[in-house]
Amino acid sequence: MITIKEIAAQLNMSTTTVSNVIHGKDGEVSEAKRAIVREFLEKVDYVPNINARNLAQNESKIIGVALKARADKYENLIMDPFVAELIGGIEETIRNAGYFMMLYISRDTEKIMRYVSTWNVDGLILFGMIGDDGIRVSARYKKPIVCIDTYSIEGLKHFTNVGLDDEKGTYEMVKYIISCGHNRIAFMSDNTNGVDYARFCGYRKALEEAGIEYKEEDFLKIRPRSEEIEESLEEMCLRSMDYTAVMCVSDLYAVTLMSALSDRGIRIPEGISIAGFDDNMLGSLYRPALTTVHQDVKQKGVVAAQTLLKQLKGEKTEHQITLPTRLVIRDTVTTPRKTSFYGYKNH
Amino acid sequence: MITIKEIAAQLNMSTTTVSNVIHGKDGEVSEAKRAIVREFLEKVDYVPNINARNLAQNESKIIGVALKARADKYENLIMDPFVAELIGGIEETIRNAGYFMMLYISRDTEKIMRYVSTWNVDGLILFGMIGDDGIRVSARYKKPIVCIDTYSIEGLKHFTNVGLDDEKGTYEMVKYIISCGHNRIAFMSDNTNGVDYARFCGYRKALEEAGIEYKEEDFLKIRPRSEEIEESLEEMCLRSMDYTAVMCVSDLYAVTLMSALSDRGIRIPEGISIAGFDDNMLGSLYRPALTTVHQDVKQKGVVAAQTLLKQLKGEKTEHQITLPTRLVIRDTVTTPRKTSFYGYKNH
DNA sequence: TTGTACGCGTTATCAA
DNA sequence: TTGATAACGCGTACAA
């Protein structure tokens, strides 16, 4: 906890000299003094006070990572494996670049803004913004901002975004499912916004292209809140019997559905084909192993952080960055069953 | 970005008055001025500069969360679902108490120390410390420290720790397995330190108590690195055939093993019983659903943060806090098979 | 009740 | 090459 002033006093020189040595401004200070100071710094294990430094330089070396929590899903966003992996990528990149990461989670855009100004963060990574949230932030915060997974068309005009080709992902998967012989394919999700909507569009597109008519009831809307989940799952299982395949919006839902179906004695993929999206551990460890759409979540975080870092250095960056997806064909999608379930149901 | 000085100038009063209003020192300022300042603050959306505040008060309102990364497992610790949930609990508690959380991940205890002093954090939560790491930190850092899951006996004398009764957890589970009729029970893990060792001890204790002899080969040591995992899994499956049950050190390994066994045509629990530890999504969504030992990871983070917060307020806290475990009996442990596998193998 | 002035630790400017 | 000194924004002791 020793200060520059203290060091200067003990060494009988000015703070300027000490500061210059610390910052390697070798031209400004004689070889002799440089050595003395260096040695002393080493000896006392000098650590700069970042608050003072920030105050003097008006920069913070902090990159703010603000997560906008949604009400329904996890009570705490970090627990979402997706978010955890994302943050992992961000943190690593930021740290290696000599910056610090400060995490802030809130439902309230106003609070996020206050947090950002109070800490005077040098740049901002935003995740979970909906509607015009992002626009509101970028209107007031004048330093670099990079968003992750923003689906607001209007918002995309205002700031840099790192996203995923969600639509193409489901489109290709559903196309694959159709190529296996299916023509009664449901889509399962818990809402129709953001990511979920983009993925839904890919599904619709593939259906349309194959001349399969989409009806509203083909959207299986799960209610994931713990009080309702059992009841909702029962309904999902029942309704999915009208189909030979279900395209799930995420691996989590795919595996959840498979468990529920399995509990009801329905075998996968013989009874029904299931596809997921994300390609995480949940699906790869399940048996039968899940056929799914791969995305590199960590990479998303890395790219977002790298882009921000570039902007901090004044470099120009692409405005919209879209990461690719890839089909991962495993064991849960196969040719459709020939007979319908429950006898009384057939189309 | 308006400052107190600026506000004072515009309002034709002193910075002290403004500051007093901001800090609600109502006794110190007249009703009239108070109203004026309040309104103005609202209007210009004043946000204090935390760097300046910290510098003036010599406190930071930051709680440092330092994770010591181990070399072998995840490249980035946050991606570990366990760590994610832990941080979730910590973050929530810290935020609600009006503090900020700054995350720092490093393999190097020295770097962690420098980080802590540079930011002048008010308190420290440490996770992943091994050997005398914790002692070295607490010797140099004189503010409150709370560790999570420290297994160094020596270390426990030096600082507050929040841990889990790991030994009791496996002890009770293995006792349960034995009560189902098993007497050839293996233990699977990737190392013999820290948590893994504690859990191993519970296993040994239960065996001993039941008069079952433990041989070194009963320890199934998995090599989880991706280059070796397939080969290692092959070996695990082969060796586990000598047993009727396997106590796995984590749900992840339990599910990994079940998948591998399933791929080789061995049914669970008919062919072999499997138990896990942690009780996370991996096990609850798998089919058959995993019998496991429950621990409340989020709660661990919450308790650690609460304890630190108390210490910050000068309150006394317990030195060692041990959270309980609970058996979660599901479908992967049953009575042992009667015949041995592979014909040629029998004991 | 209000205001002046200083200190917190650092960096930057400018004069010596 | 070196050293005073001001500035960053805030809190507070002390004076008015």
Side-chain angles (χ1 to χ4, degrees):
Chain A
M1 289 305 197
I2 193 166
T3 69
I4 284 192
K5 202 189 262 182
E6 178 70 15
I7 295 176
Q10 290 193 30
L11 254 37
N12 256 324
M13 40 179 123
S14 78
T15 59
T16 312
T17 308
V18 179
S19 175
N20 279 334
V21 173
I22 290 171
H23 291 84
K25 300 190 180 172
D26 289 5
E28 316 277 310
V29 46
S30 69
E31 178 66 46
K33 290 218 171 189
R34 209 186 309 158
I36 298 176
V37 176
R38 282 241 178 82
E39 194 187 347
F40 195 83
L41 285 175
E42 188 76 26
K43 199 183 98 196
V44 299
D45 191 27
Y46 168 76
V47 176
N49 180 320
I50 293 211
N51 284 310
R53 182 174 282 180
N54 292 348
L55 193 58
Q57 308 204 126
N58 194 34
E59 66 163 34
S60 63
K61 284 287 173 186
I62 299 178
I63 290 181
V65 178
L67 308 181
K68 173 133 181 183
R70 276 176 293 175
D72 48 342
K73 297 212 171 172
Y74 297 80
E75 339 159 44
N76 191 308
L77 254 194
I78 305 184
M79 296 178 194
D80 183 337
F82 176 87
V83 174
E85 198 169 340
L86 194 65
I87 294 181
I90 296 174
E91 192 275 339
E92 195 178 290
T93 311
I94 289 180
R95 175 158 39 84
N96 289 338
Y99 281 79
F100 294 88
M101 177 180 98
M102 194 163 235
L103 207 59
Y104 194 79
I105 302 181
S106 178
R107 242 174 247 174
D108 183 351
T109 314
E110 280 309 309
K111 279 196 181 163
I112 292 182
M113 287 314 304
R114 298 182 69 80
Y115 146 76
V116 165
S117 8
T118 214
W119 282 100
N120 192 21
V121 304
D122 290 344
L124 199 52
I125 295 180
L126 253 31
F127 174 76
M129 297 291 142
I130 0 177
D132 56 355
D133 278 343
I135 305 177
R136 274 156 60 204
V137 174
S138 65
R140 288 177 47 190
Y141 178 73
K142 291 309 178 195
K143 296 182 186 172
I145 300 184
V146 171
C147 290
I148 296 176
D149 284 355
T150 298
Y151 291 91
S152 137
I153 311 269
E154 190 53 37
L156 292 181
K157 294 180 194 158
H158 291 72
F159 42 72
T160 307
N161 183 69
V162 177
L164 185 74
D165 206 338
D166 292 281
E167 184 172 332
K168 194 170 169 209
T170 38
Y171 167 74
E172 289 182 341
M173 178 56 85
V174 174
K175 225 172 117 172
Y176 166 74
I177 295 173
I178 293 171
S179 79
C180 290
H182 296 266
N183 58 11
R184 285 178 291 149
I185 307 166
F187 183 82
M188 178 170 147
S189 164
D190 62 1
N191 73 84
T192 50
N193 311 314
V195 214
D196 297 73
Y197 181 70
R199 293 182 185 174
F200 173 69
C201 288
Y203 155 82
R204 294 257 341 231
K205 189 175 160 199
L207 248 45
E208 199 167 321
E209 218 176 86
I212 302 174
E213 191 195 353
Y214 166 78
K215 300 195 211 76
E216 220 172 275
E217 70 221 42
D218 300 343
F219 191 106
L220 267 33
K221 184 162 182 194
I222 187 172
R223 298 186 309 274
R225 304 187 54 169
S226 50
E227 319 89 71
E228 313 183 287
I229 182 73
E230 277 312 321
E231 183 193 343
S232 181
L233 242 25
E234 173 68 24
E235 186 202 337
M236 293 296 104
C237 289
L238 216 60
R239 286 179 56 189
S240 60
M241 292 301 87
D242 289 338
Y243 305 87
T244 59
V246 180
M247 171 79 232
C248 299
V249 80
S250 67
D251 279 13
L252 174 59
Y253 284 159
V255 170
T256 304
L257 180 61
M258 290 199 290
S259 297
L261 288 167
S262 170
D263 291 343
R264 289 159 178 80
I266 291 154
R267 304 197 53 186
I268 295 153
E270 297 82 355
I272 188 165
S273 288
I274 306 283
F277 199 121
D278 284 342
D279 189 23
N280 58 32
M281 253 196 310
L282 240 34
S284 64
L285 286 178
Y286 199 89
R287 289 298 178 269
L290 183 65
T291 291
T292 189
V293 181
H294 174 85
Q295 72 160 314
D296 193 335
V297 181
K298 182 186 172 185
Q299 182 64 8
K300 222 181 221 173
V302 170
V303 169
Q306 283 175 341
T307 307
L308 187 67
L309 254 11
K310 273 188 201 163
Q311 295 185 0
L312 249 29
K313 281 193 279 185
E315 295 177 27
K316 278 273 162 222
T317 63
E318 277 180 86
H319 210 62
Q320 303 307 326
I321 300 170
T322 304
L323 267 26
T325 60
R326 187 180 80 233
L327 292 196
V328 177
I329 306 299
R330 290 197 283 241
D331 310 324
T332 55
V333 173
T334 178
T335 50
R337 63 176 186 275
K338 287 295 177 292
T339 54
S340 57
F341 279 97
Y342 295 163
Y344 60 88
K345 288 204 180 197
N346 58 355
H347 296 248
Chain B
M1 287 308 195
I2 194 166
T3 69
I4 284 191
K5 203 190 264 180
E6 178 71 15
I7 294 177
Q10 290 194 31
L11 254 35
N12 257 322
M13 41 179 124
S14 79
T15 59
T16 311
T17 307
V18 178
S19 176
N20 279 334
V21 173
I22 290 172
H23 290 84
K25 299 191 180 172
D26 289 5
E28 317 275 313
V29 47
S30 69
E31 178 65 46
K33 290 216 171 189
R34 210 188 306 158
I36 299 177
V37 175
R38 283 240 178 84
E39 194 187 346
F40 195 84
L41 286 174
E42 188 75 25
K43 198 184 97 194
V44 298
D45 191 27
Y46 170 76
V47 176
N49 180 321
I50 292 213
N51 285 310
R53 183 176 280 181
N54 293 347
L55 196 56
Q57 310 208 128
N58 195 34
E59 66 162 36
S60 62
K61 284 288 173 185
I62 300 179
I63 289 182
V65 178
L67 308 180
K68 173 133 180 182
R70 277 177 292 176
D72 48 342
K73 296 212 173 175
Y74 297 80
E75 339 159 45
N76 190 308
L77 254 195
I78 305 184
M79 297 178 194
D80 184 337
F82 176 88
V83 174
E85 199 170 340
L86 195 65
I87 294 181
I90 296 174
E91 193 273 339
E92 197 177 288
T93 312
I94 289 180
R95 174 157 40 84
N96 290 336
Y99 281 80
F100 294 89
M101 178 180 100
M102 193 163 233
L103 207 59
Y104 194 80
I105 302 181
S106 176
R107 242 173 246 175
D108 183 350
T109 313
E110 280 308 311
K111 278 196 182 163
I112 292 181
M113 287 313 303
R114 299 182 69 80
Y115 146 75
V116 165
S117 10
T118 214
W119 282 101
N120 191 23
V121 305
D122 290 343
L124 199 52
I125 294 180
L126 252 32
F127 174 75
M129 297 289 142
I130 358 177
D132 56 355
D133 277 343
I135 305 178
R136 274 158 58 207
V137 173
S138 64
R140 287 177 47 192
Y141 178 71
K142 291 311 177 194
K143 295 183 188 171
I145 300 182
V146 171
C147 290
I148 295 175
D149 284 355
T150 298
Y151 292 90
S152 140
I153 311 269
E154 189 54 35
L156 292 182
K157 294 179 195 159
H158 292 70
F159 41 73
T160 307
N161 184 67
V162 177
L164 185 74
D165 206 339
D166 292 280
E167 185 172 331
K168 193 169 169 212
T170 39
Y171 167 73
E172 289 182 340
M173 179 56 86
V174 174
K175 226 172 117 173
Y176 166 74
I177 296 174
I178 293 171
S179 78
C180 290
H182 296 266
N183 58 10
R184 285 178 291 148
I185 307 167
F187 183 84
M188 179 171 147
S189 163
D190 62 3
N191 73 84
T192 51
N193 311 314
V195 215
D196 297 72
Y197 182 70
R199 294 181 184 176
F200 174 70
C201 288
Y203 155 81
R204 294 257 341 230
K205 191 175 157 201
L207 248 46
E208 200 167 320
E209 220 175 85
I212 302 174
E213 192 194 354
Y214 167 79
K215 300 197 211 76
E216 220 173 277
E217 71 221 41
D218 300 342
F219 190 107
L220 267 33
K221 185 163 179 194
I222 187 173
R223 298 187 307 274
R225 303 186 52 168
S226 52
E227 319 90 71
E228 313 183 286
I229 182 72
E230 276 312 321
E231 184 192 343
S232 182
L233 242 24
E234 173 68 25
E235 186 202 337
M236 293 296 105
C237 288
L238 216 59
R239 284 178 59 190
S240 59
M241 292 301 89
D242 289 337
Y243 303 87
T244 59
V246 181
M247 171 79 231
C248 299
V249 80
S250 66
D251 279 12
L252 174 59
Y253 284 159
V255 171
T256 304
L257 180 61
M258 291 200 290
S259 296
L261 287 167
S262 170
D263 291 342
R264 288 159 180 82
I266 292 152
R267 304 196 53 186
I268 295 152
E270 297 82 355
I272 189 166
S273 288
I274 305 284
F277 198 122
D278 285 340
D279 188 23
N280 57 33
M281 254 196 310
L282 240 34
S284 64
L285 286 178
Y286 199 88
R287 289 299 177 267
L290 183 65
T291 291
T292 189
V293 180
H294 174 85
Q295 71 160 314
D296 192 336
V297 180
K298 182 186 172 187
Q299 182 64 6
K300 220 182 221 173
V302 170
V303 169
Q306 283 174 341
T307 307
L308 187 67
L309 254 12
K310 274 188 199 162
Q311 295 185 2
L312 248 29
K313 282 193 279 184
E315 295 176 28
K316 278 274 160 220
T317 63
E318 277 181 85
H319 211 62
Q320 303 307 327
I321 299 170
T322 304
L323 267 25
T325 60
R326 183 181 82 232
L327 293 196
V328 177
I329 306 299
R330 290 197 282 242
D331 309 325
T332 55
V333 173
T334 180
T335 50
R337 65 176 185 275
K338 287 294 176 291
T339 55
S340 57
F341 278 98
Y342 294 165
Y344 60 87
K345 287 205 179 193
N346 58 356
H347 296 251

